[in-house]
Amino acid sequence: MKPTFKGEEHSRGLKPAADREIPLARPNVTPAEIDAVVEVLRTPNLSLGPKVGEFEQAFARAVGVREAVAVSSGTAALHVLIRALGIGPGDEVVTTPFSFVASANCVLYERATPVFADIDAETWNIDPAKIEAAVTPRTKAILPVDVFGQPADFDAIRDIARRHKLVIIEDSCEALGAAYQGVRAGALGDAGVFGFYPNKQITTGEGGMITTNDADLAAMCRSLRNQGRDAGAGWLAHPRLGFNYRLPDINCALGLAQLRRLDELLSARARVAEWYIEELPVGGGCGTGISPPTAGLLQLQRIAPNVRMSWFVFVVRLADPFTEQDRDRVLSGLRSAGIGCSNYFAPIHLQPYIRELGGYRPGDFPVCEAVASRTIALPFHHELTRDDVRRVVAELCSLLA
Ligand SMILES: *Cc1c(COP(=O)(O)O)cnc(C)c1O
C-alpha cells in the first residue's frame, strides 16, 4: 500500500526503503571483471595486445561463427560492415524504422540510402512482406534488427535475399545469446553485429563486435578498424582509407570476464522477465487477484515459437485506446515514483534529420508508429528482485486505472 505521507518523507529526504530508486538498466560487474582489467593495466599492452584476440575467439565460439572482430562500439561495427561490403552512394539498404538510430545511420555514413520496411504488429520485428515490397534494382543489403533480443524472421528474410542476391547484415546488438531454429543470433545473416554499452547483456563500457563465417570479410573489417592497415604490414602503410575503431585491451579483458559469466547473466535476466510476465495484468488481473480495470490494457511482444529470446529490455505496449500522451503521462508517473523507464524506440524515420533526408511524414510506417507511441521499457537488469518487479507493476497498474 502506498503510504499517504510519501510526499512528506521525500521532502525531508527520509525515503522509505520501499521507495528507493529502481534504475532502468544497470551493468553487473563483479570482482572478476575488476581483477581482469587491473591485470591489463599492469602490462604495457593497453591496445592491440593479446586480450583482443582472446576476446574475439571466445566471442566467436559463444556465437558459433568462425570469425569475430572487436571494434569500439556497435555503431562502429555496423559502419565497418557497410564499408567492407562496398555499399555506397546510389545503393539502398532495406531496414526497420523500429530500432536504435545506429542501424540506419551506418548506411548514411557511406552516403547510401536506408529504405524502411514496416514492422510486424506483434513481434515488432521487420515484416518480410514489407521488405519484399521495398526491394528495388538499387537494393544491396537487408539489415534486420533482432528487436529487444528476439531474432527477426530469418527464413523469410533469407529467401528474399537469395532471390534478389542481397547480403544480410544482422543487427544482433540486442540479442546476444538468442537463437532462431537453434542457430544463434549473430550467425543468422552474412555478418552479425553486437554492442557492449552498459545496458547490453554484456558490457565493455563501450565496445562492439562483428561476427561472420567469411574470413575475407573479417580481414577487411580488421583493416578498416585499424586505419586501413594490412595484417603484419608496416605501422605507416595504409593501402586503404580506414578508421580508428579499435577496442582497447582493457575493454577486451572486461568483455572476456563478462562473457565467462554469460549463462549466469542471461538466466538472471530471463528470471526477471518471467516475473514480469507472471505479475503483469496481460489478459487478466493485476497479479494480486484483485482483478482491477487494467485487464487487457497491456500487450507484450509476441515471441515466435521458433526463437529463443535473450531479454535485452522488458517492454510493455499500452493497448490502442491509449494515446502517446497517455503513454508519456505513465512514463512521468513512473519516474516520479522513482522507477526508471523509457519509451522504446522512437521511430527512426521521424527523427528530424532523417525526416528531412527522406521526406518522411507521420503515417508513413503506421505499424511502427502505433507501437512506438505506446511502448514503455520497464526497469530490467540482473539485480532486480521479485519485490521490485511487484512494485513496478503495482505502480503501472495504478497509473492505468
Ligand atoms: C545498442 C545498439 C547498437 C549499438 O550501439 P552502440 O552504442 O554504438 O554500441 C546498434 N543497434 C541496436 C539495435 C542497438 O540496440
Side-chain angles (χ1 to χ4, degrees), residues 94-98 115-119 126-127 129-132 134 365:
V94 179
T95 189
T96 170
F98 190 64
V115 173
F116 296 110
D118 210 344
I119 59 170
I126 193 166
D127 180 344
K130 305 283 174 50
I131 299 177
E132 185 86 55
F365 300 97

Side-chain angles (χ1 to χ4, degrees), residues 51-72:
K51 293 296 167 195
V52 183
E54 280 178 48
F55 184 35
E56 289 178 342
Q57 279 170 29
F59 200 87
R61 262 197 310 277
V63 169
V65 291
R66 281 198 281 279
E67 301 274 353
V69 181
V71 291
S72 53

